[in-house]
Amino acid sequence: MQDLEAELERARELDVATLADAIETIGFECTRCGACCKSEADDPHTATVFPDEVRDVQAAAGAETDRDWRDVARPMPYGLDEDGAGETFEWALQADSCGDCTFYREDDDGTGACSVHGSRPLICQTYPFSVALGGTSQPMGEAVDEAGMVRAHECEGLGRDISRADAEELAGALKARAIRELEEAIDVREAYAPANPEPGATVVHDSEGAKRPDGSAYPN
């Protein structure tokens, strides 16, 4: 069995109650500071979003305005040159001209909010936590706390009381994210084929195959 498949089995066997215990031990309450939605040290915000999550955000926007793929996601910059050309293996939520998540909103008093909160990607639902499994992503730097399989990343909301119900909801989303990330990695590996892009082109390889930045299939 390949390493990713072994890790996927481990993710599927994660116990939500045990994850919730760890989250309670660390403690967390969102303060709506917006730090996880903003650029950091002049680096644009790079939250991973999967193809189906892009479509979920597109659908959630229907009541306001029609959004195309590039309104929601952009090629993850890692692996691309300074002009954005090359091949990469992930999508990132779209960023605005300041580098912040394009869906981030801030009130006059500095309180942050997500304009697509009900359809936000799993990585946003679970921040600042991750699970210690190979093949899963570790958002925004090194862990600053951990309990069991759960790692906590820098966030001013850490250490605050959290209800058991909220801890279990967060734990369920954390398990779902770990499974989804590993499934995506395996599907990307299986779907990958060299794209041989023309000079200056950008190709994103995801679980559905090679795509252009607008989400359309890249020609073989």
Side-chain angles (χ1 to χ4, degrees):
M1 182 178 286
Q2 299 292 323
D3 289 344
L4 287 175
E5 281 81 0
E7 292 295 86
L8 177 57
E9 288 305 309
R10 291 181 67 198
R12 288 172 172 163
E13 292 170 0
L14 288 172
D15 180 66
V16 170
T18 300
L19 295 178
D21 289 343
I23 291 169
E24 279 190 300
T25 297
I26 296 171
F28 173 69
E29 180 184 19
C30 179
T31 65
R32 296 179 65 183
C33 69
C36 60
C37 304
K38 297 178 181 179
S39 62
E40 184 177 277
D42 297 323
D43 290 327
H45 182 263
T46 51
T48 303
V49 59
F50 301 125
D52 58 310
E53 293 179 323
V54 175
R55 288 187 281 268
D56 286 345
V57 174
Q58 285 182 285
E64 296 179 21
T65 182
D66 292 328
R67 288 192 175 119
D68 66 26
W69 188 278
R70 282 182 288 196
D71 291 325
V72 177
R74 71 188 195 282
M76 188 68 78
Y78 310 126
L80 304 180
D81 65 24
E82 60 183 14
D83 295 321
E87 298 182 62
T88 186
F89 292 85
E90 289 182 299
W91 296 97
L93 281 174
Q94 187 58 269
D96 63 20
S97 59
C98 297
D100 300 341
C101 177
T102 191
F103 301 108
Y104 178 66
R105 304 288 183 270
E106 195 168 277
D107 295 340
D108 292 339
D109 64 358
T111 301
C114 173
S115 63
V116 291
H117 187 269
S119 300
R120 69 198 188 284
L122 283 166
I123 197 167
C124 301
Q125 294 179 39
T126 54
Y127 192 82
F129 297 104
S130 64
V131 291
L133 287 173
T136 58
S137 64
Q138 308 299 312
M140 294 183 71
E142 297 296 324
V144 296
D145 199 357
E146 58 185 298
M149 292 287 291
V150 176
R151 293 173 175 172
H153 301 260
E154 187 173 357
C155 176
E156 71 172 34
L158 291 173
R160 298 169 182 260
D161 290 338
I162 184 171
S163 70
R164 182 64 187 185
D166 287 346
E168 289 180 349
E169 182 179 0
L170 187 48
L174 194 58
K175 177 178 179 177
R177 176 183 145 207
I179 293 170
R180 184 70 181 82
E181 287 179 340
L182 287 159
E183 288 177 336
E184 177 76 9
I186 291 168
D187 289 345
V188 169
R189 184 190 64 195
E190 298 302 316
Y192 176 78
N196 298 316
E198 61 270 16
T202 304
V203 180
V204 181
H205 298 276
D206 64 24
S207 56
E208 299 171 352
K211 292 193 176 87
R212 298 184 179 93
D214 65 0
S216 61
Y218 196 86
N220 293 327

